[in-house]
């Protein structure tokens, strides 16, 4: 179901990266809508993540889940204030791969955070200073969560490697 | 920020790094944007100097006698990410032929160059604590501070540079988290 919604918001990172690097098609509103789509997908995805974790990991997933719901609400409010009708979440999203184990769940959490981080980078490019700051803060939050789930850090959260235009490090 | 006319540099921001995420940016128009204002170049130079300082701090901590502590591998990884930040920032600064060097800051002094009684220092005269736990706390505070400074600067940066600064700010926040006593996540 709604495979297109998932792939638009949360799957196919490489394809997304290429598309993101292409010329823009919209304004502040499109950037907010992209971020909202990513947050909808993350809110859905974390429900799956949390269901496959226990103990401290489940608590962390719950914390992230709530954070994404709050960010989603903030984005909806921003869109409403622009006179736009925020897009509702899809009923369900197709996961990029089945989540059967705790390991799968953690991998999905990393993926969700990476997608959200990239979506927020589009907000950092808008001229509205308040929205830009919000985007940067949420990018930072997504990077922190991604690092937690991944267990390691990355040099350029949210920025696809091909956009950076440098050869991959050995 | 006042510019030094004789050391004018051109910002290659838009050309070197396509804007990520189409929505909300000026896109193709941005590619044709005029050379950056002096303030933008100043911002880039500040970010470069901050990365150079951060690298010097890591080098000083890693060069200290106590480096046997278990975090050396982590520190090397974080240092490598700072080097990547620096390379990316430097690649966006184009200095016209005959102009002065790209960086407004003096090259970082070697780690331990001013090593005194139990401490190492980095450019700016900051002493690096000798106790391992204190050294890690020192790096952690420096990372958090650097992340916050970038966050405040990107408000007025051109869109493409703002994205790079935001990403580096996020990376540095994760460094601070990974250096925290209990691990990460906030």
């Amino acid at each position: 179901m709604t495979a297109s919604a998932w792939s638009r918001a949360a799957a196919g990172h490489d394809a997304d990266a290429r598309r993101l690097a292409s010329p823009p098609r919209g304004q502040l509103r499109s950037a907010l809508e992209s971020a909202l789509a990513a947050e909808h997908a993350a809110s859905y995805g974390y429900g799956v993540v949390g269901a496959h974790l226990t103990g401290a990991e489940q608590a962390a997933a719950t914390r992230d889940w709530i954070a994404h719901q709050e960010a989603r609400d903030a984005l909806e409010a921003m869109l409403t204030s622009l006179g736009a009708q925020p897009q509702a979440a899809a009923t369900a999203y197709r996961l990029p791969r089945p989540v059967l184990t705790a390991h799968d769940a953690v991998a999905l959490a990393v993926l969700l955070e990476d997608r959200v981080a990239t979506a927020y980078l589009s907000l950092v490019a808008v001229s509205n200073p308040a929205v830009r700051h919000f985007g940067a803060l949420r990018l930072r939050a997504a990077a922190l969560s991604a690092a937690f789930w991944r267990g390691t850090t990355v040099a350029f959260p949210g920025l696809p490697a091909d956009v950076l235009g440098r050869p991959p490090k050995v | 920020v006042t510019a030094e006319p004789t050391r004018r540099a051109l910002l290659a921001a838009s050309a070197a790094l396509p804007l990520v995420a189409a929505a909300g940016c000026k896109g193709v128009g941005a590619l044709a944007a005029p050379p950056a204002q002096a303030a933008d170049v100043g911002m880039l130079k500040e970010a470069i100097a901050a990365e150079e300082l951060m690298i010097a701090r890591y080098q000083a901590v890693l060069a200290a006698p106590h480096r046997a502590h278990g975090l050396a591998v982590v520190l090397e990884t974080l240092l490598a990410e700072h080097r990547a930040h620096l390379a990316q920032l430097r690649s966006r600064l184009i200095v016209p032929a005959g102009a002065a060097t790209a960086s407004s800051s003096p090259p970082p002094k070697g780690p331990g160059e001013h090593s005194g009684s139990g401490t190492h220092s980095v450019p700016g005269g900051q002493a690096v604590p000798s106790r391992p736990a204190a050294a890690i706390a020192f790096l952690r505070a420096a990372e958090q501070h650097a992340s916050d400074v970038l966050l405040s600067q990107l408000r007025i940066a051109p869109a493409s540079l703002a994205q790079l600064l935001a990403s580096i700010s996020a990376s540095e926040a994760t460094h601070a988290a990974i250096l925290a006593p209990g691990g990460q996540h906030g």
Side-chain angles (χ1 to χ4, degrees):
Chain A
M1 316 176 212
T2 64
S4 63
W6 178 267
S7 59
R8 189 169 60 245
H13 190 236
D14 294 339
D16 278 354
R18 277 190 293 275
R19 185 164 65 241
L20 291 174
S22 64
R25 55 182 160 69
Q27 305 288 325
L28 171 61
R29 182 171 156 174
S30 333
L32 288 168
E33 284 169 346
S34 299
L36 177 59
E39 288 291 15
H40 275 321
S43 298
Y44 176 89
Y46 265 104
V48 177
V49 170
H52 289 82
L53 298 176
T54 56
E57 283 193 321
Q58 188 177 57
T62 302
R63 192 165 55 230
D64 283 343
W65 190 26
I66 293 168
H68 285 294
Q69 289 172 330
E70 288 171 351
R72 175 202 63 197
D73 293 348
L75 289 164
E76 285 177 345
M78 288 183 211
L79 279 162
T80 303
S81 75
L82 290 176
Q85 173 70 40
Q87 179 100 32
T91 316
Y93 294 79
R94 190 176 64 187
L95 302 178
R97 66 183 72 87
V99 177
L100 304 173
T101 65
H103 184 267
D104 297 339
V106 168
L108 176 59
V110 170
L111 194 75
L112 294 169
E113 296 296 351
D114 284 350
R115 303 287 157 71
V116 167
T118 298
Y120 277 118
L121 218 46
S122 66
L123 282 189
V124 174
V126 304
S127 54
N128 181 314
V131 174
R132 183 183 276 203
H133 188 66
F134 174 81
L137 282 176
R138 296 311 312 170
L139 167 63
R140 189 154 88 167
L144 282 166
S145 293
F148 171 80
W149 293 115
R150 189 182 268 123
T152 57
T153 58
V154 298
F156 299 101
L159 275 176
D162 58 341
V163 172
L164 289 167
R166 65 193 168 92
K169 291 189 67 174
V170 182
Chain B
V1 180
T2 38
E4 305 156 86
T6 55
R7 297 177 57 180
R8 238 168 123 195
L10 299 178
L11 196 68
S14 305
L17 184 75
L19 274 172
V20 172
C25 63
K26 293 193 177 67
V28 177
L31 294 175
Q37 303 294 316
D40 301 341
V41 174
M43 200 181 303
L44 190 49
K45 285 184 171 181
E46 262 183 60
I48 287 170
E51 284 296 341
E52 288 170 341
L53 181 57
M54 195 68 81
I55 287 168
R57 286 172 177 141
Y58 273 87
Q59 286 173 332
V61 170
L62 282 164
H66 58 62
R67 66 161 298 177
H69 62 70
L71 274 173
V73 173
V74 172
L75 297 186
E76 292 284 4
T77 303
L78 302 185
L79 173 58
E81 291 182 3
H82 282 295
R83 289 192 169 119
H85 296 165
L86 180 60
Q88 194 59 233
L89 289 165
R90 278 184 176 156
S91 76
R92 312 187 89 195
L93 195 63
I94 294 176
V95 179
T101 59
S103 173
S104 59
S105 65
K109 296 186 179 74
E113 198 166 309
H114 303 294
S115 63
S117 53
T119 63
H120 289 62
S121 64
V122 292
Q126 280 178 298
V128 175
S130 57
R131 278 196 314 117
I136 298 302
F138 165 80
L139 290 177
R140 184 187 178 213
E143 292 276 15
Q144 191 62 53
H145 177 72
S147 174
D148 291 342
V149 167
L150 285 179
L151 202 59
S152 64
Q153 284 177 334
L154 63 87
R155 281 168 167 265
I156 52 167
S160 175
L161 179 58
Q163 290 185 318
L164 179 59
L165 297 184
S167 184
I168 292 174
S169 168
S171 176
E172 290 176 336
T174 65
H175 291 182
I178 219 158
L179 293 173
Q184 325 160 341
H185 217 238

